[in-house]
Amino acid sequence: GAVVSQHPSRVICKSGTSVKIECRSLDFQATTMFWYRQFPKKSLMLMATSNEGSKATYEQGVEKDKFLINHASLTLSTLTVTSAHPEDSSFYICSARTSSLGTDTQYFGPGTRLTVL
Amino acid sequence: GEDVEQSLFLSVREGDSSVINCTYTDSSSTYLYWYKQEPGAGLQLLTYIFSNMDMKQDQRLTVLLNKKDKHLSLRIADTQTGDSAIYFCAEILGGYSTLTFGKGTMLLVSP
């Protein structure tokens, strides 16, 4: 159990286009979903926290108009990178939090590799 | 400085034990986690420990927590080449849901 999927796993796009990444909890309902970005030195940076049915909470320095998050249901959150630029190229990872599996923890998706040309 | 610190690299031989260390600064940490990341993949939860525990064992994995020194370690017994990956230590604070990660330790297991 506790599987989180992301789609697509890889995407290459032209500068100026928008890209949508989906994050789904497949076998549990997630009270909260998180979006992370992984930088080349391996550290993970939390971008935003989203709860179903409410606006996402963005971390300082993350542009909410550029990284649009929609948490449509307890099993789906989407991250849209609008007007992508090469500096947005990165590995984006989502996670889903639940306390329904016996412990309060986060389960991570496999990540999406975004390359902006 | 960093809230969670780890050494960046560890190299061991197959069959040996690996010990990956982590230090954290916030004494209000309630949960501490170890995640594994294989190349090109997302994070996989390996194990976690509550802050009121000193040790947790799960098959080949042993987690030791020294709250006084704010030190967490992950021991992998009988390390295999398939254990080669980046290992992240993370803490979660009090009533918050967000995780603070270390930069990860790259474990390289040679035959």
Side-chain angles (χ1 to χ4, degrees), chain A residues 35-54:
Chain A
W35 287 96
Y36 295 86
R37 181 174 177 177
Q38 187 170 30
F39 289 95
K41 289 187 178 181
K42 305 172 294 182
S43 63
L44 287 167
M45 183 195 82
L46 176 65
M47 298 175 66
T49 303
S50 75
N51 293 292
E52 183 263 341
S54 60

Side-chain angles (χ1 to χ4, degrees), chain A residues 95-111:
Chain A
S95 70
R97 174 179 177 260
T98 181
S99 55
S100 65
L101 298 173
T103 182
D104 185 9
T105 192
Q106 293 184 33
Y107 296 89
F108 287 80

Side-chain angles (χ1 to χ4, degrees), chain A residues 1 5 7 12 16 19 21 43 48 52 54 57-59 62 67 81 91 108 113:
Chain A
S5 70
H7 178 79
I12 300 172
V19 175
I21 303 170
S43 63
E52 183 263 341
S54 60
T57 302
Y58 290 82
E59 296 299 301
V62 178
F67 297 99
V81 182
F91 194 52
F108 287 80
R113 171 72 62 189

